[in-house]
């Protein structure tokens, strides 16, 4: 079937991971970048006995559900794949994904899935963006066909599935404040000064990566990663940013001569300002350092944590375990309403941040431990810390390890609040927990408007 063209396929609905579904000769066909209601010609990219994957090559009829994407980079950038669908429908589809995954995978009695908690800000909602410098800019079909010579240096985002190609971003609707200005001014300066943009194939070039983090009250952190240890070049770039953008409260840089862009194992140098920014949530202050994890949509993170806290139903007497605590944000957020909160997390520096944030907020009833969940959450650990009345768990996309689920079944806490960014693995884990628990509430939250991602909170109560 590969490469076969299927004509006038009717797109019926949205499935998981944002893919749409049609049918051909009784087989399901998954198609990306279309909308339910479209009629399209598609080319098969993968053929299996039970389903096909295909790409749209011609749209015959546009769905009435479509809206005009507002971003000039839509379609190449891959960052906001659902801009062609109205926000109301995005919310309907996201909720439906949760319903579908729970019915298909969990197969347990379910309460009504609540309407998704939508975002007030559907643009400029992210507090962190990561831009890549490249000497291999993505060229459009028109640019290639024109035969002209174009600037090949770029600063922007990866083209989906292309590690070596970067879309040069002129305006991004994901982050507000000075994000767009900083990126564009830095690129203009670098081009004017003939500074080298990174060459991913040969691993050369001075300018490698730019991360911008921001807070709701206007603090900005800019981190520049350099691919060469060139003090003069580094000073030139950092002095430029410092002078041009006095609003940057935390101006940092990293020399990264490694093959990959991760910098958890590298020194971060402070060029100007502080080495952190500080986000505020309900009077609590969270220090965000360059290596710290912090939920990327602060406003919706607050809504998510409110849901988790409400589901936990705390009275001030409970021992709460916050599993996969990251930098302890949930643990610190609920601490004011619990007797004690114990956070566990894999990444040691995140645990240090969690402890620092607790101290910073004068919280004395939180404790944090680092290590792999299945190794830390043991009978010994529980006997040293008291059994939990409530477990809050927020694992990565892959969900929880089966040993952790077995331990939760053994612990039999009266309530488990399960927060997840992947309803499929969440539904799988809920099925295993249903041996002792029933699902009593399901609340999806939209953390990422214009994308198909959905966050979901489930309350499980002991039978
Ligand atoms: C979705 S994040 C949770 C974030 C946090 N609850 C928050 O809201 O900021 C998942 C966390 O699980 C941690 N993690 C992943 N695998 C782990 C494991 N096997 N054991 C312990 N922690 C793990 C990751 O480092 C990450 O911080």
């Amino acid at each position: 079937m590969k490469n076969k063209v299927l004509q006038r396929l009717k797109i019926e609905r949205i499935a998981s991971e944002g893919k749409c579904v049609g049918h051909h000769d009784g087989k399901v066909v998954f198609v990306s970048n279309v909308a339910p209601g479209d009629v399209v010609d598609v080319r098969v990219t993968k053929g299996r006995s039970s389903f096909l994957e295909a790409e749209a090559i011609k749209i015959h009829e546009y769905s009435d559900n479509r809206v005009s994407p507002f971003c000039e980079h839509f379609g190449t950038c891959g960052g906001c794949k659902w801009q062609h669908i109205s926000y109301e429908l995005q919310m309907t589809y996201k909720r439906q994904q949760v319903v579908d995954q729970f019915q298909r995978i969990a197969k347990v009695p379910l309460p009504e899935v609540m309407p998704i908690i939508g975002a007030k800000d559907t643009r400029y909602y992210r507090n962190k963006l990561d831009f890549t410098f490249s000497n291999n800019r993505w060229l459009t079909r028109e640019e290639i066909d024109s035969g002209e010579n174009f600037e090949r240096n770029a600063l922007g985002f990866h083209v989906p599935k292309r590690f070596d190609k970067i879309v040069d971003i002129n305006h991004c609707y994901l982050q507000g404040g000075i994000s767009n200005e900083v990126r564009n001014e830095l690129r203009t300066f670098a081009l004017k000064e003939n500074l080298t943009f990174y060459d991913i194939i040969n691993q050369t070039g001075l300018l490698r990566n730019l991360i911008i983090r921001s807070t709701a009250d206007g603090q900005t952190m800019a981190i520049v990663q350099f691919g060469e240890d060139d003090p003069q070049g580094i000073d030139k770039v950092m002095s430029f940013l410092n002078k041009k953008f006095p609003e940057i409260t935390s101006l940092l840089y990293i020399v990264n001569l490694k093959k990959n862009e991760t910098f958890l194992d590298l020194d971060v140098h402070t060029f100007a300002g502080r080495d952190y920014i500080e986000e505020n949530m309900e009077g609590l202050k969270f220090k965000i350092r360059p290596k710290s994890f912090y939920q990327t949509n602060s406003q919706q993170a607050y809504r998510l944590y409110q849901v988790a806290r409400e589901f936990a139903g705390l009275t001030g007497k409970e021992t709460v375990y916050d599993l996969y605590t990251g930098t302890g944000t949930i643990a610190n957020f609920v601490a004011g309403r619990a007797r004690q909160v114990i956070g566990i997390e894999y990444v040691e520096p995140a645990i240090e941040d969690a402890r620092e944030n607790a101290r910073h907020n004068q919280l004395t009833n939180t404790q944090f431990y680092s290590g792999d969940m299945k190794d830390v959450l043991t009978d010994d650990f529980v006997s040293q810390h008291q059994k939990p009345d409530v477990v809050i768990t927020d694992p990565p996309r892959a969900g929880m390890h089966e040993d952790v689920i077995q331990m939760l079944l053994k612990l039999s806490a009266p309530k488990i609040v399960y927060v997840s960014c992947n309803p499929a693995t969440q539904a799988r884990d809920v099925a295993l927990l249903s041996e002792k628990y029933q699902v009593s509430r399901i609340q999806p939250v939209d953390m990422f408007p214009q994308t198909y991602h959905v966050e979901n909170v489930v309350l499980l109560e002991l039978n």
Side-chain angles (χ1 to χ4, degrees):
M1 284 299 277
K2 194 161 177 197
N3 289 327
K4 190 172 171 190
V5 172
L6 313 177
Q7 286 178 338
R8 303 192 80 88
L9 187 79
K10 173 98 180 159
I11 302 298
E12 298 155 20
R13 61 179 180 85
I14 296 245
S16 63
E17 305 284 303
K19 288 192 179 130
C20 285
V21 171
H23 281 88
H24 174 79
D25 279 351
K27 261 190 194 176
V28 171
V29 187
F30 292 107
V31 191
S32 298
N33 306 326
V34 290
D38 286 348
V39 177
V40 291
D41 289 350
V42 299
R43 181 182 290 116
V44 175
T45 52
K46 197 191 244 181
R48 291 281 182 272
S49 55
S50 57
F51 69 90
L52 304 172
E53 284 184 13
E55 58 182 5
I57 50 174
K58 181 172 179 187
I59 302 189
H60 290 283
E61 286 174 34
Y62 285 95
S63 157
D64 293 340
N65 296 329
R66 278 182 175 259
V67 293
S68 293
F70 47 81
C71 177
E72 65 191 277
H73 307 295
F74 177 76
T76 36
C77 159
C80 303
K81 288 225 160 92
W82 271 11
Q83 269 185 31
H84 61 303
I85 298 171
S86 72
Y87 189 54
E88 281 63 38
L89 267 176
Q90 290 179 26
M91 290 198 289
T92 306
Y93 293 151
K94 288 186 193 208
R95 176 183 173 277
Q96 193 56 42
Q97 277 190 53
V98 174
V99 173
D100 291 349
Q101 303 284 29
F102 271 76
Q103 282 176 353
R104 198 169 57 82
I105 301 169
K107 295 190 180 123
V108 294
L110 297 172
E112 164 111 357
V113 175
M114 299 298 287
I116 190 166
I117 297 178
K120 189 165 70 52
D121 295 334
T122 56
R123 301 181 190 183
Y124 304 115
Y125 59 79
R126 283 184 67 102
N127 57 33
K128 181 180 175 205
L129 282 181
D130 203 318
F131 303 104
T132 301
F133 288 90
S134 167
N135 66 350
N136 198 1
R137 179 169 78 85
W138 175 257
L139 295 178
T140 60
R141 174 59 35 211
E142 296 82 65
E143 283 174 327
I144 294 168
D145 290 346
S146 76
E148 284 176 43
N149 278 331
F150 288 94
E151 174 60 60
R152 294 308 303 271
N153 287 320
L155 174 55
F157 298 125
H158 285 271
V159 175
K161 297 185 188 156
R162 292 298 300 263
F163 81 100
D164 61 336
K165 289 269 193 286
I166 296 295
V167 190
D168 203 39
I169 297 292
N170 178 44
H171 188 94
C172 176
Y173 287 87
L174 284 174
Q175 190 175 31
I178 54 173
S179 176
N180 280 300
E181 286 90 330
V182 172
R183 184 199 57 248
N184 290 350
E185 289 288 345
L186 179 54
R187 176 178 43 225
T188 305
F189 176 76
L191 290 172
K192 194 173 97 235
E193 296 290 322
N194 277 322
L195 301 174
T196 47
F197 286 47
Y198 204 65
D199 181 325
I200 187 88
I201 307 287
N202 296 310
Q203 308 262 304
T204 57
L206 179 68
L207 288 159
R208 187 159 185 184
N209 170 290
L210 168 70
I211 297 169
I212 300 179
R213 303 184 80 164
S214 46
T215 62
D217 67 359
Q219 299 163 59
T220 304
M221 172 183 285
I223 312 166
V224 184
Q225 278 201 61
F226 293 96
E228 289 170 1
D229 194 0
D230 165 11
Q232 261 187 333
I234 293 173
D235 190 65
K236 202 175 208 176
V237 171
M238 301 312 286
S239 300
F240 165 75
L241 286 175
N242 196 22
K243 201 154 160 224
K244 183 89 189 169
F245 295 101
E247 308 94 312
I248 297 178
T249 49
S250 176
L251 183 57
L252 314 172
Y253 70 92
I254 296 161
V255 177
N256 183 352
L257 308 178
K258 297 187 307 171
K259 288 213 158 119
N260 60 53
E261 279 184 9
T262 56
F263 59 88
L264 283 179
D265 53 344
L266 297 176
D267 289 337
V268 182
H269 306 278
T270 305
F271 188 84
R274 305 193 295 198
D275 66 347
Y276 65 90
I277 50 176
E278 199 170 64
E279 191 58 281
N280 206 309
M281 193 184 277
E282 235 180 39
L284 291 175
K285 290 180 178 146
F286 293 107
K287 274 193 181 174
I288 303 170
R289 296 188 186 282
K291 295 179 186 175
S292 312
F293 172 84
Y294 194 79
Q295 292 278 358
T296 45
N297 182 341
S298 309
Q299 239 177 48
Q300 289 303 94
Y302 180 39
R303 297 293 290 120
L304 181 76
Y305 296 163
Q306 283 176 313
V307 171
R309 187 173 61 188
E310 194 211 324
F311 280 14
L314 302 174
T315 64
K317 295 190 189 126
E318 295 82 2
T319 291
V320 180
Y321 282 13
D322 181 29
L323 307 186
Y324 310 90
T325 190
T327 46
T329 328
I330 297 183
N332 287 323
F333 185 74
V334 302
R337 305 210 186 155
R339 193 170 74 76
Q340 61 165 341
V341 188
I342 292 157
I344 306 175
E345 155 69 37
Y346 201 66
V347 177
E348 175 63 34
I351 285 296
E352 284 159 22
D353 284 342
R355 289 184 185 131
E356 187 184 347
N357 279 324
R359 271 197 304 276
H360 195 47
N361 290 294
Q362 284 95 45
L363 295 168
T364 51
N365 61 341
T366 53
Q367 295 169 58
F368 295 98
Y369 298 90
S370 65
D372 193 324
M373 195 61 60
K374 64 178 176 10
D375 305 328
V376 177
L377 190 63
T378 58
D379 291 324
D380 275 357
F381 182 90
V382 175
S383 60
Q384 279 164 29
H385 293 94
Q386 293 222 329
K387 279 178 88 167
D389 303 294
V390 179
V391 173
I392 300 175
T393 182
D394 183 7
R397 285 191 73 73
M400 290 191 279
H401 192 282
E402 217 182 313
D403 291 355
V404 178
I405 294 178
Q406 289 312 321
M407 191 62 201
L408 290 181
L409 286 168
K410 201 161 153 193
L411 278 174
S412 297
K415 283 182 189 167
I416 297 177
V417 180
Y418 190 153
V419 182
S420 168
C421 57
N422 185 350
T425 54
Q426 187 184 35
R428 177 203 66 201
D429 293 351
V430 163
L432 297 171
L433 290 165
S434 69
E435 193 183 311
K436 283 197 176 171
Y437 286 89
Q438 58 180 321
V439 182
S440 44
R441 290 170 84 177
I442 306 181
Q443 176 64 70
V445 180
D446 187 17
M447 307 284 284
F448 302 108
Q450 321 301 346
T451 76
Y452 52 77
H453 294 288
V454 57
E455 196 86 13
N456 192 42
V457 192
V458 167
L459 172 61
L460 296 155
E461 290 183 285
L462 199 62
N463 283 329

